[in-house]
Amino acid sequence: MRTVHRNKATWMELCDEVEQHLQQLEVHRSELQERRGDESNSCLKALAHYFSTTADVIDNVAKAGSEEDGKTLLSIKRAGMAQMEKDEFGRYREMMENAWQAYSIEVKRLIALKVKDVGDQLEEYEKADTRAMSVRNPENDDSMFRPDSMIAYGDRVDFCEEGTRVEILDAIRNWATSSGSTRQIFWLNDAAGTGKSTIAATIANEWLIDNRLAGRFFFSPNSRTTQTTKEFCRFVANDIARNQPSLADTIQDEIKSISSEQHVWFDIQLQRLIINPVGKLEGDKCIFIVVDALDNCVLNEERVGLLNSFVRHLPSVLHLKLLLTSRPVQDIADVLASSPLVHGSDLQLFNVRNSHHPDVILYVEKRLMSISLEDRAMIIARSGGLFLYAATVCRMLERSRHRTDILKIISDVGVTDKLEQRMDTLYLSVLKQALIDRDAGGMIMSVLSMIIAAYQPLSSNTISQFLPGNIYVEDFVQDLGGVLKDGHPDRPIKVLHPTFREFILSNVDRANGFLLHSAQSAAEMAYACISTLEHMLEDDLFHLIKPGQSLPRNDDIKDVDLLVHKSVNAAERYASAFWAHHVAASEASQDLLSRVITFLSRKYMN
């Protein structure tokens, strides 16, 4: 069972990754040929490079195995793992990911230039990205076995609707093209839900298309990696290497060098992985780094450290600029408010005194053309100009089975000038409309508890395995589409905005019947994980003991990783990885401690 607990890159994951990548090549080649033209040539070249890289990986892996088996993927899986060093797995995976990201960039450029319905096309390609870059079994989908890059690079963040946010987008564009200015940081700060991340994603995509994007990082509570600065420099550096190919070798050499060192301070990482390589770019064209939602970084000292490092080093590279978004939290403001490098801090996304809200009007009119003009006007009035409110209502109406009930609930609620109260009222409406069956209240709270407490996003199917008596999981997730994404049974569920987490974990008066306690939610997850493992674990889990022999060691089992991968589903993998974390995060009642002791004595220590 030591293999079940390993959360590192394994042989099987690498082989499955190769298989999934190869399956996507033919699909993407066909799509490109349908749009064949001058603009698609770069995509075809990137695709050819990606295919060549994948073929090289297959050849190198095959050489590590027995020559007599031949170079088939099945034989590669059975090849001698012991003959390959651990860092080789990571190197091969990085080769494929870099080639895939380079190809994805060209695809997005082509889509933006050639396809009118950008949103639908991006969704299709993002699904392909998820399948191709996944290292998990596609039949047992769970985000703990997918790259964090999907979240860190903001691949799932919506773009601004055409015609909206024109003033602020133009302000950023003007700052970006201004020459001779020493203001290298554009700080877009405003309250939660005012559209900062959407603006950041839109601008980042424009710079990507124009070959002016260096790198990006979207802080988010949906992934442990994007709640801290620990992996920030590595993620941004890899993005720079893909977007600015002339720097790729320099950056990869530095990443390898830093990875071999025990501890490297953030400031030094930033200088070696980002500042110094970008400083070697020839020409005077500005390139840009996008850092979104810095306030989602959970440690104040890490936020301050990141900002101080950028303020210290940016003046040495005048052709590098930083677009930063955040709420106006005090520790961020203390660093940036007095810095001569900062521009844009006085811009306002949300003005409660502006009763017209043309951007929200345009957004709602485009998203909800299928409902009556009267209902659209009601939603616009209730939003009071707050984009998060309008977007949440639009998603609810687009996904829920109870449109009439939703419209009635929203129309019965008044408007307040306080943003937090406005969103709280809407979140209560979202939750109430999902409770059409009043007897299902406990079940919906159990589902929400698991979504909020999970260390990695879980799919509906995984939650159903943890809650075998809850028959409403998929229905609840669908009806909560205003605050959750995405709801397909095999895809990980994400909380769309941090304010919903804050609301549901706040206090009794604010959550008004839907309050979750983090320690209690952790305990429920611990019980579910332990119960799953109790049913799963047995003395001879994979029926390996032969008559007269004892249980073999993992190292003595042929194809042990393949055996585990095929036999252990997503819920069991999650439980194996995180049961102890949930026990530690709970308030560890006597009952839970007794359950843990019994579990360990029966399943681990016998």
Side-chain angles (χ1 to χ4, degrees):
M1 286 310 301
R2 291 195 301 274
T3 305
V4 176
H5 285 270
R6 280 204 301 263
N7 242 356
K8 298 179 180 178
T10 62
W11 180 269
M12 273 310 307
E13 290 171 353
L14 178 61
C15 291
D16 283 346
E17 214 172 322
V18 173
E19 288 180 309
Q20 292 173 42
H21 283 218
L22 288 174
Q23 290 169 6
Q24 291 304 312
L25 289 176
E26 182 59 29
V27 175
H28 284 261
R29 184 190 64 79
S30 300
E31 291 171 344
L32 281 172
Q33 285 189 333
E34 288 177 4
R35 291 194 284 271
R36 187 69 183 262
D38 292 339
E39 297 90 348
S40 66
N41 287 335
S42 59
C43 283
L44 290 169
K45 290 179 181 178
L47 180 58
H49 173 64
Y50 176 52
F51 182 85
S52 174
T53 300
T54 306
D56 287 343
V57 170
I58 293 173
D59 286 341
N60 287 323
V61 173
K63 289 175 183 176
S66 60
E67 296 293 339
E68 59 192 35
D69 282 339
K71 294 182 180 180
T72 66
L73 281 172
L74 181 59
S75 69
I76 290 170
K77 289 180 178 180
R78 294 174 177 171
M81 282 185 60
Q83 299 181 44
M84 298 191 65
E85 298 295 333
K86 184 184 295 185
D87 59 356
E88 287 187 86
F89 295 119
R91 183 164 63 85
Y92 289 143
R93 176 172 286 117
E94 186 129 330
M95 286 171 58
M96 288 194 301
E97 181 173 344
N98 287 339
W100 174 260
Q101 288 290 344
Y103 168 56
S104 297
I105 288 169
E106 295 301 334
V107 168
K108 289 183 179 180
R109 286 186 179 134
L110 178 63
I111 292 170
L113 291 170
K114 299 291 290 180
V115 182
K116 292 182 180 180
D117 193 355
V118 176
D120 288 343
Q121 289 295 323
L122 280 174
E123 182 68 16
E124 290 302 312
Y125 276 90
E126 287 166 359
K127 289 177 182 177
D129 285 348
T130 301
R131 292 193 298 269
M133 290 304 298
S134 173
V135 295
R136 61 190 180 280
N137 185 340
E139 295 180 358
N140 294 311
D141 199 0
D142 197 311
S143 68
M144 66 178 289
F145 297 102
R146 67 182 292 179
D148 285 334
S149 59
M150 295 291 291
I151 300 172
Y153 295 143
D155 287 345
R156 290 289 189 162
V157 180
D158 293 333
F159 297 151
C160 296
E161 288 284 346
E162 185 177 357
T164 66
R165 297 309 206 192
V166 173
E167 183 177 350
I168 186 63
L169 291 172
D170 283 345
I172 297 173
R173 292 168 185 141
N174 291 336
W175 162 79
T177 56
S178 63
S179 58
S181 173
T182 59
R183 298 199 169 190
Q184 292 174 262
I185 301 175
F186 193 109
W187 181 29
L188 183 62
N189 73 97
D190 210 326
T194 51
K196 301 182 294 297
S197 294
T198 305
I199 292 169
T202 301
I203 288 292
N205 189 61
E206 289 185 10
W207 289 337
L208 176 67
I209 293 169
D210 293 340
N211 292 314
R212 292 193 296 162
L213 180 67
R216 69 229 126 129
F217 195 91
F218 285 65
F219 285 95
S220 168
N222 282 317
S223 165
R224 298 172 77 183
T225 299
T226 53
Q227 296 181 52
T228 174
T229 61
K230 182 178 179 181
E231 299 291 332
F232 175 90
C233 291
R234 185 176 67 84
F235 269 84
V236 174
N238 275 323
D239 209 21
I240 295 173
R242 288 185 286 266
N243 297 328
Q244 306 295 327
S246 63
L247 302 178
D249 290 342
T250 299
I251 289 173
Q252 294 307 324
D253 287 344
E254 280 296 336
I255 289 176
K256 186 176 181 180
S257 175
I258 286 179
S259 298
S260 66
E261 301 174 28
Q262 282 192 335
H263 179 75
V264 181
W265 295 105
F266 179 89
D267 187 80
I268 297 174
Q269 288 189 48
L270 182 73
Q271 191 170 6
R272 288 171 59 179
L273 295 180
I274 297 173
I275 299 297
N276 291 348
V278 171
K280 295 178 181 180
L281 276 177
E282 297 180 356
D284 56 0
K285 181 182 74 171
C286 275
I287 61 173
F288 305 91
I289 291 174
V290 176
V291 178
D292 179 61
L294 180 58
D295 52 286
N296 282 335
C297 178
V298 295
L299 296 178
N300 294 13
E301 57 267 29
E302 288 192 353
R303 299 197 294 254
V304 171
L306 180 149
L307 293 173
N308 282 330
S309 292
F310 270 109
V311 169
R312 182 181 302 113
H313 294 298
L314 275 177
S316 67
V317 188
L318 293 178
H319 57 271
L320 178 63
K321 293 185 176 182
L322 171 67
L323 171 61
L324 173 75
T325 78
S326 76
R327 302 187 209 186
V329 297
Q330 192 60 50
D331 57 275
I332 296 176
D334 287 343
V335 177
L336 297 179
S338 59
S339 174
L341 296 178
V342 177
H343 178 73
S345 58
D346 56 342
L347 292 175
Q348 193 174 30
L349 291 175
F350 179 76
N351 183 355
V352 73
R353 291 180 291 276
N354 179 3
S355 59
H356 299 294
H357 314 302
D359 284 348
V360 172
I361 293 173
L362 182 58
Y363 177 83
V364 173
E365 293 289 350
K366 284 189 173 184
R367 291 285 296 269
L368 298 179
M369 296 180 64
S370 62
I371 70 172
S372 70
L373 182 62
E374 181 182 359
D375 286 333
R376 294 201 297 269
M378 180 269 294
I379 293 168
I380 292 166
R382 293 293 184 272
S383 74
L386 187 61
F387 253 97
L388 177 59
Y389 188 105
T392 302
V393 173
C394 288
R395 283 191 294 263
M396 270 204 301
L397 293 173
E398 288 166 350
R399 292 191 53 187
S400 179
R401 302 166 297 160
H402 312 293
R403 273 195 171 192
T404 303
D405 298 313
I406 293 171
L407 290 169
K408 184 178 187 309
I409 291 172
I410 294 172
S411 67
D412 290 342
V413 177
V415 179
T416 174
D417 288 346
K418 295 182 178 180
L419 302 189
E420 182 181 282
Q421 290 183 7
R422 187 176 304 175
M423 288 311 304
D424 286 358
T425 302
L426 179 59
Y427 288 146
L428 282 173
S429 300
V430 172
L431 293 166
K432 288 177 179 177
Q433 60 84 30
L435 275 180
I436 300 301
D437 182 354
R438 296 298 170 183
D439 295 331
M443 292 185 177
I444 193 173
M445 294 306 293
S446 294
V447 173
L448 283 170
S449 182
M450 292 205 162
I451 292 171
I452 297 296
Y455 284 99
Q456 296 284 1
L458 306 173
S459 69
S460 295
N461 282 345
T462 297
I463 294 174
S464 294
Q465 287 180 268
F466 284 146
L467 299 172
N470 194 327
I471 61 175
Y472 299 108
V473 175
E474 289 186 34
D475 290 341
F476 287 152
V477 172
Q478 180 180 346
D479 290 340
L480 293 173
V483 294
L484 301 177
K485 188 176 181 178
D486 60 39
H488 184 282
D490 286 322
R491 296 181 64 171
I493 301 164
K494 300 177 186 175
V495 177
L496 283 164
H497 201 272
T499 53
F500 181 71
R501 287 181 185 271
E502 295 166 7
F503 162 76
I504 207 164
L505 293 170
S506 57
N507 55 63
V508 173
D509 292 335
R510 184 178 171 190
N512 195 11
F514 292 97
L515 178 67
L516 290 177
H517 299 279
S518 57
Q520 182 178 337
S521 296
E524 291 177 8
M525 282 296 296
Y527 278 115
C529 289
I530 291 172
S531 178
T532 297
L533 293 175
E534 284 177 335
H535 286 90
M536 164 199 174
L537 298 176
E538 56 187 54
D539 289 340
D540 187 11
L541 180 61
F542 302 128
H543 309 293
L544 299 171
I545 299 178
K546 296 179 180 179
Q549 296 182 2
S550 60
L551 185 67
R553 294 168 53 86
N554 285 357
D555 293 340
D556 298 327
I557 303 171
K558 184 179 179 180
D559 299 330
V560 63
D561 293 301
L562 175 62
L563 187 62
V564 170
H565 200 74
K566 285 185 174 181
S567 304
V568 181
N569 62 40
E572 292 164 346
R573 292 197 298 267
Y574 182 93
S576 296
F578 294 113
W579 71 269
H581 294 271
H582 287 298
V583 172
S586 72
E587 292 180 345
S589 66
Q590 185 61 45
D591 180 73
L592 178 56
L593 290 177
S594 298
R595 183 73 176 274
V596 170
I597 292 170
T598 302
F599 166 63
L600 291 175
S601 62
R602 291 180 178 176
K603 298 296 182 178
Y604 271 66
M605 300 178 182
N606 58 351

